[in-house]
Amino acid sequence: MSAGASWSVVYSDTGRAALASATVEERAAILAFEKKLAERPHHLGELYPDRVGGLYTALLAVGERLAWTSVLYRIDEARREVLVVVIVSGP
């Protein structure tokens, strides 16, 4: 991999719907996280134990507090693409 080459970040239908319904603070945190994902996708989240494998989860800070907003995503090495599968937010 060449240094500094960005990855593509795309959203599933569920991910897009969650982004569209996010609060202003949540959306800002998600978009900032998206930028970091494009730069270093392997260094942000933790592997999530799912049946298929390769699913990562990351807990985001929203409005300077750690909120219950998680992003689940998969990394596709061949395409150099990160797929945001779902965004989960709680109270």
Side-chain angles (χ1 to χ4, degrees):
M1 283 184 255
S2 58
S6 290
W7 289 59
S8 297
V9 178
V10 295
Y11 288 79
S12 68
D13 290 342
T14 307
R16 278 193 298 275
L19 184 61
S21 64
T23 66
V24 173
E25 283 184 322
E26 289 170 335
R27 183 170 301 153
I30 293 163
L31 294 176
F33 180 72
E34 176 185 321
K35 183 178 178 185
K36 292 176 185 176
L37 268 179
E39 295 168 358
R40 300 183 69 195
H42 295 95
H43 296 90
L44 294 173
E46 297 177 7
L47 265 172
Y48 184 81
D50 69 317
R51 289 186 295 173
V52 177
L55 186 65
Y56 289 78
T57 183
L59 189 62
L60 304 184
V62 176
E64 297 184 19
R65 68 191 185 328
L66 199 58
W68 194 71
T69 299
S70 296
V71 177
L72 279 79
Y73 60 97
R74 291 194 188 280
I75 298 173
D76 184 333
E77 297 285 343
R79 292 183 177 177
R80 289 190 54 82
E81 181 177 276
V82 179
L83 173 65
V84 174
V85 178
V86 68
I87 301 164
V88 182
S89 294

